[in-house]
Each structure stands twice: as C-alpha cells, then as structure tokens.
Amino acid sequence: MRRVTGALAIPVTVFVVLTALCSINGASLFGTDDSLLLLTRGVATTMLTAMALAINLNSGRFDFSLGAMATLSSVIGATVAIQTGSGIVVMGGITVAVGVALGAFSGLVYVLLGISPMVCSLGITLLYEGVSFAITGGANVSFLLDGGLTSFSKSPAAMAAVIAVGLLVVVLLFDQSRFGYDYRALITGQGPAVAAGIREKRNAVAAYAISGGLMGAVGLILASQMGYIEAGKLNFGSIGIMFTAFLPMFVGGFIGRYSNDKLGYLLGALCTTLLGLAFAALHLTSTVQSITNALLLVGFLLFLSNEDKLARLWRRVARRDRHTTGHLPPASPDVPAQPIVRTGATAS
C-alpha cells in the first residue's frame, strides 16, 4: 500500500491541483476535442526522451546529441519514404534503425577516443546537425500533403501503442536481459563489475544505441506531427529537445523509488503533459510557461538535495506531537484523566 501511495501521490496531486486551477479560471483541463490526442502524444514523446536521457545520465554520461539524433534519423527516414513513395511503416522502420545506428556511432566515438562524454556529445551534435544540413541543403523536409505520413501522430491509438511498445522494450532490455543486469551492476559498482568480467565498453555502446533508437521514435512522432522537419538547425540548435525531459526525468526517478523506474518515467511524463494541457487551457504565454517550468525544476531539485534534512525535521515534529496532550492514552473508566502538570522547564 505504501508503494502504491508513493507512486501515485505526485500524479494525483498534479491532476487535482491543475483541475482546480482550471476550474477557478473557468477553463477545463480536457476542454477540446484533441485533448486525448495531445495527452497521449505528449506522454509518448516526453517518456521516450526522458528514458533516452536517463539511460546514459544514470551512468554518468551526459549526452547533448539526443535532439540531433532525432532530427537526422527522421530526415533520412522521411527522405527515403518520400523518394520511394512508401508509407509510414517504412519511414518509421528506417527512422528508428538509423537512430540506433547514430546512437551506436556516438557510443563508439566515446569509448574509442576516451574523452569526456560531455565534450564528445557536443562534437557529435555538431556532426549530426551538419549532416542533416548537408542532406537537405538547409531546407525543411516537407510532406504536409502526404496524409499517410502525417496521420500517424494524429491517432491517439497509435500514440498509446508507442507508449506501450516503448515501455515494454525498455523494461525487457533493462530488467529482463543480461545486458540490463550488467548495466545495473556497472552503475552500482563499476570497479567490481569490471573485475567480475563485465565488458564496460560494449555495454556503454549498447546503451548509446538504445538511447538513439528511442530518439529515432521521438523524431518520427515530431516529424509526423508537424508534417515537416527543420533540418537547418546548426550550432547546437537541436539541444533544446533534451532539456524538455529534465523535469519528467527527475520526477520519474523519484516516483521510481516506489515502483519500477520505467513506470516512474511514464508517470513523470504524464505529470508534465498535464501541466502543458493546463498551460494551454489557461492561455499562458510561452514566456510564463518557460519560467514556470524552470521554477518547478529548480524547486524539485532543491527538494531532492535537502530531502534528508526535511525527513529529519518531519521526524522531529512527529516525536514532539506524540508528547502533547492529544496523544495521551485513554483514561481508565475507574480513574478519571488527570490534567498534565508542567514544570517550569517543560512549560517554557
């Protein structure tokens, strides 16, 4: 019961608070016909991005190239689909496969060069953005009039399927496979794990590849949603997509203490998507939305940094309450309750 309560406390609180805020302002959290589509699509893209970010960040590897992977993989997938006249299935398969290849290449560069993962990912970001620019000549890859390619992200059922498949694949890979066991062993004790025979570099490249595959799926959804791909982003213009996943990743990690961390990322993505729906219902400007998101992220990080202090303060207050009159044992029927006699020390 404690685990269920801990896992659902934040999502339920967020839903209740946002619903109340919308009601006070005469709006509805799900007031449009597209609410279900916006909810499922937002959860899908946010959950996949948060997982892709967390896979390497949990191992101490900061990856700035996630947005560039999503852009380049979708550029290649869409270009092939347009030129061959094939549908969304071919585009999706190529986009995800290219995402896996791009992630694996990024991992190989990291393990072979042995440089800082942050510096490595910045170089990879510039490389992937440059390749996208070279393929398209800096122009957008547009397929607005192709209903087959744009219909994918307009189906709540398709988005729900993406959520289910993405969650299942990640759970199987990280919780039910030899790769996942090695991955967790390296996180909790890198030295002993390597000494025990776990191949750290191979595991790191595989983790990068899985992260790239997830970002390929994100690129597919975003491309299908807009009907075009902005391939002219240079000088780290693609990094922004990574920062959208920080808040759900940290919230999901906290929720994961009471359940599975992958389920935590799903619930964290649900919270931030509900927040986005509330922003739209309340007609908040993009500036106010950005400031609110930043304040929530900083506030949650402050909470995580001072969690032990808050727990000690809570226990101290609880012990003090147990010594108040309200917690005295019930009086015997034969002996009436006696009032507390405070000495000068306790009364002060």
Side-chain angles (χ1 to χ4, degrees), residues 10 81 120 125 128 130 151-152 188 196 207 236-237 256 259 262-263 265 270 277 285 314 343 346:
I10 293 180
C120 177
T125 301
Y128 289 168
S151 61
F152 175 64
T188 54
F236 308 114
S259 60
K262 287 77 181 176
L263 180 60
Y265 297 135
L270 176 63
L277 291 178
T285 64
W314 175 257
T343 64
T346 57

Side-chain angles (χ1 to χ4, degrees), residues 1-206:
M1 187 63 186
R2 180 176 178 274
R3 293 171 63 87
V4 175
T5 303
L8 297 180
I10 293 180
V12 171
T13 302
V14 168
F15 176 77
V16 171
V17 170
L18 293 179
T19 302
L21 284 176
C22 290
S23 299
I24 292 172
N25 290 276
S28 173
L29 191 59
F30 301 100
T32 66
D33 296 336
D34 295 335
S35 295
L36 180 60
L37 173 62
L38 295 175
L39 179 67
T40 53
R41 190 166 60 200
V43 171
T45 55
T46 308
M47 181 194 74
L48 295 175
T49 307
M51 287 178 173
L53 179 63
I55 286 172
N56 282 317
L57 195 60
N58 288 340
S59 300
R61 299 186 293 264
F62 205 99
D63 193 354
F64 283 105
S65 65
L66 297 180
M69 289 183 193
T71 300
L72 180 54
S73 60
S74 60
V75 163
I76 296 175
T79 301
V80 172
I82 293 170
Q83 292 182 352
T84 61
S86 51
I88 187 66
V89 175
V90 173
M91 177 179 170
I94 294 176
T95 301
V96 174
V98 171
V100 172
L102 294 177
F105 177 77
S106 180
L108 283 172
V109 172
Y110 164 66
V111 299
L112 293 178
L113 296 184
I115 58 178
S116 164
M118 185 177 295
V119 175
C120 177
S121 67
L122 288 174
I124 291 294
T125 301
L126 289 177
L127 174 63
Y128 289 168
E129 287 181 351
V131 174
S132 298
F133 191 93
I135 292 175
T136 64
N140 292 339
V141 179
S142 179
F143 46 90
L144 280 168
L145 301 180
D146 192 328
L149 299 182
T150 58
S151 61
F152 175 64
S153 66
K154 295 180 174 57
S155 167
M159 294 299 101
V162 169
I163 296 172
V165 172
L167 190 62
L168 178 63
V169 168
V170 174
V171 168
L172 290 176
L173 288 175
F174 286 89
D175 293 346
Q176 304 294 331
S177 71
R178 172 65 182 275
F179 160 77
Y181 302 148
D182 293 348
Y183 172 83
R184 290 201 298 275
L186 289 167
I187 290 177
T188 54
Q190 186 177 14
V194 173
I198 295 177
R199 297 184 177 182
E200 179 187 11
K201 293 183 178 180
R202 177 184 294 183
N203 193 274
V205 173

